[in-house]
Amino acid sequence: MAEDSTAMTLEDVASINKFSLLNKQRHALKDELRTKKELLGNMQDAAQELMLSTEGGCVRYLVGEMYVEVTPEEAEGKLEVETRRVEDHVASLESQLSEVLEAITRLKQRLYAKFRDTINLEDEDDK
Amino acid sequence: RRKMASQGDQPMEIQVPIAETKEENPKGIPNVIFIENTEEFVSKWGYELIMKQMNELYSKYKFMESKLVKSREVMKTKVPDIKKALEMVEFLQKKKESENPKVETNFLITDNIWAKGNIPNETGKVGLWLGANVMIEYTFEEAQQLLKTNLTNAEANITSLEKDLNFLKDQITTTEVNLARVHNENVRQKQAAKPKGNQFGSIFKYKKQNRGKQG
């Protein structure tokens, strides 16, 4: 048992810390993406509903915390603008997430190469 | 032999060099020092003392982390509120500048109960709730300015808290690595120090001796 398989340098610890941080970011991004995608789905459903129901001259649109009565055209316009904003946000989140995933893969390769099975870098709820 | 007066009967405990405070550290949080040569470190300072102080440091880090997380969550809930207020002010302003400034709304009185309201929207002013039972009237421009400033501040606070949390996470992870390695080193030293001439030892010890290098 003379071999010390846990020989670790400062650089290794820095890599482990970086991995920990990246993993934290990954979770945060995944959670935010899930919420925003749900919101996007709701907005798209709302747009559909608007198109289908052309009764009456007023639609109640949520501004801040109250509903404001607007014409269907105004409502469609506002919805479109907001939908686009959320879509852009989702796109940016997705590109951030893919960058993080790439960095994680590279780090994993490096750490597994050095420590093989004395280190465990898997997450329980990895999809 | 003099005793340290302030500590009563206990002599002052030797401080194992496991952390250092650098100037640039956020909130004066100390940097944990990574123990590169565990064998030397444990032999020099002693397993018990190291683990005691390292665990104390670890608890402090975790406590600080939970405080910062709580602060960040509070800040995060403020952001959507400010954004909603901004949305409303901008909407009212736009409506006032259009041919029909009147706004008909349904607003929330309590859960699931909404009331109709008519906003004539002639004054060009809004009241902003500042907290502590204080509400102040502002023009649309003033209100937007104030709200935008608050929003920028809240977002800056969140960014700063995230930075502190990341720094803290690094210290925590490194401390965990230290704790594991010191513990392993202690196990290793205990195994190595086991008496070799014990013929009545267990089978395990017997096998270990046979695998050892010297007789």
Side-chain angles (χ1 to χ4, degrees):
Chain A
M1 273 258 239
E3 178 98 13
D4 184 10
S5 58
T6 60
M8 218 184 262
T9 65
L10 198 56
E11 208 182 55
D12 295 327
V13 176
S15 299
I16 293 178
N17 286 349
K18 184 99 206 282
F19 180 83
S20 187
L21 237 44
L22 282 172
N23 208 26
K24 201 167 81 140
Q25 284 173 3
R26 179 173 70 102
H27 281 291
L29 283 170
K30 269 188 160 172
D31 283 343
E32 208 187 334
L33 254 178
R34 199 195 10 230
T35 349
K36 284 292 182 282
K37 279 188 166 166
E38 214 181 297
L39 177 63
L40 200 55
N42 288 346
M43 289 172 120
Q44 284 159 348
D45 287 346
Q48 289 238 352
E49 290 277 343
L50 253 189
M51 281 199 290
L52 296 174
S53 74
T54 44
E55 37 112 306
C58 86
V59 172
R60 291 193 188 89
Y61 197 94
L62 185 69
V63 172
E65 285 182 355
M66 60 182 187
Y67 286 100
V68 168
E69 304 194 349
V70 293
T71 65
E73 294 79 36
E74 281 182 319
E76 265 182 47
K78 285 170 84 74
L79 190 55
E80 220 181 284
V81 167
E82 281 190 38
T83 310
R84 199 149 319 142
R85 198 152 41 96
V86 176
E87 279 172 349
D88 287 345
H89 194 38
V90 165
S92 126
L93 284 175
E94 284 185 326
S95 91
Q96 281 179 50
L97 182 59
S98 74
E99 272 177 32
V100 166
L101 288 175
E102 240 177 89
I104 285 182
T105 314
R106 273 175 302 181
L107 256 184
K108 267 190 181 175
Q109 279 175 354
R110 180 138 54 99
L111 286 171
Y112 276 141
K114 174 143 192 202
F115 294 107
R116 269 155 300 167
D117 56 359
T118 62
I119 192 172
N120 176 20
L121 299 168
E122 304 311 315
D123 217 328
E124 305 89 48
D125 53 20
D126 250 350
K127 273 192 246 160
Chain B
R1 190 164 48 101
R2 283 182 163 275
K3 292 192 188 148
M4 297 286 167
S6 59
Q7 298 294 316
D9 273 353
Q10 317 295 102
M12 237 164 61
E13 192 175 84
I14 305 169
Q15 294 302 309
V16 181
I18 51 176
E20 58 188 354
T21 311
K22 299 197 185 142
E23 269 173 30
E24 65 268 14
N25 284 5
K27 296 186 163 58
I29 303 173
N31 263 102
V32 68
I33 299 175
F34 170 59
I35 303 168
E36 208 151 340
N37 187 340
T38 40
E39 183 174 346
E40 191 186 307
F41 201 82
V42 171
S43 303
K44 178 167 181 190
W45 296 100
Y47 173 70
E48 303 286 343
L49 193 61
I50 296 174
M51 288 307 264
K52 174 170 183 277
Q53 295 185 4
M54 191 82 70
N55 274 320
E56 267 174 24
L57 183 64
Y58 187 72
S59 312
K60 287 190 194 150
Y61 281 148
K62 288 304 255 181
F63 175 68
M64 183 100 216
E65 186 182 43
S66 70
K67 267 201 337 188
L68 291 181
V69 163
K70 228 180 269 177
S71 298
R72 185 191 55 184
E73 294 314 302
V74 164
M75 279 294 141
K76 275 191 152 172
T77 54
K78 287 193 177 169
V79 167
D81 285 345
I82 302 175
K83 284 187 170 164
K84 282 187 198 165
L86 252 177
E87 213 184 324
M88 283 204 259
V89 175
E90 282 169 357
F91 178 80
L92 286 173
Q93 185 177 43
K94 226 189 277 172
K95 268 302 234 174
K96 177 148 201 313
E97 292 161 2
S98 73
E99 357 42 68
N100 183 16
K102 247 181 10 160
V103 178
E104 273 181 55
T105 79
N106 285 331
F107 61 93
L108 188 71
I109 299 188
T110 177
D111 272 353
N112 294 327
I113 300 191
W114 301 77
K116 270 211 169 118
N118 283 324
I119 306 177
N121 203 9
E122 314 261 287
T123 60
K125 298 219 184 95
V126 285
L128 287 183
W129 182 256
L130 299 183
N133 284 333
V134 172
M135 176 178 263
I136 298 193
E137 208 176 60
Y138 293 94
T139 63
F140 288 145
E141 287 78 24
E142 289 170 341
Q144 284 178 70
Q145 216 164 0
L146 178 64
L147 288 169
K148 282 186 182 147
T149 309
N150 287 354
L151 185 60
T152 313
N153 287 347
E155 288 177 332
N157 276 343
I158 293 176
T159 309
S160 152
L161 282 167
E162 297 265 318
K163 206 169 131 225
D164 292 347
L165 277 166
N166 286 347
F167 173 78
L168 210 43
K169 191 95 209 308
D170 270 357
Q171 308 317 307
I172 289 175
T173 310
T174 308
T175 309
E176 287 171 342
V177 171
N178 273 350
L179 283 165
R181 281 157 56 76
V182 166
H183 177 79
N184 287 351
E185 172 62 26
N186 185 51
V187 168
R188 193 191 70 77
Q189 283 187 1
K190 284 220 170 99
Q191 300 288 25
K194 283 216 165 88
K196 304 235 182 337
N198 186 358
Q199 305 151 309
F200 303 105
S202 66
I203 298 179
F204 173 72
K205 277 193 207 158
Y206 177 77
K207 278 195 176 156
K208 245 202 155 19
Q209 268 169 242
N210 278 6
R211 251 195 251 134
K213 301 289 186 288
Q214 62 199 70

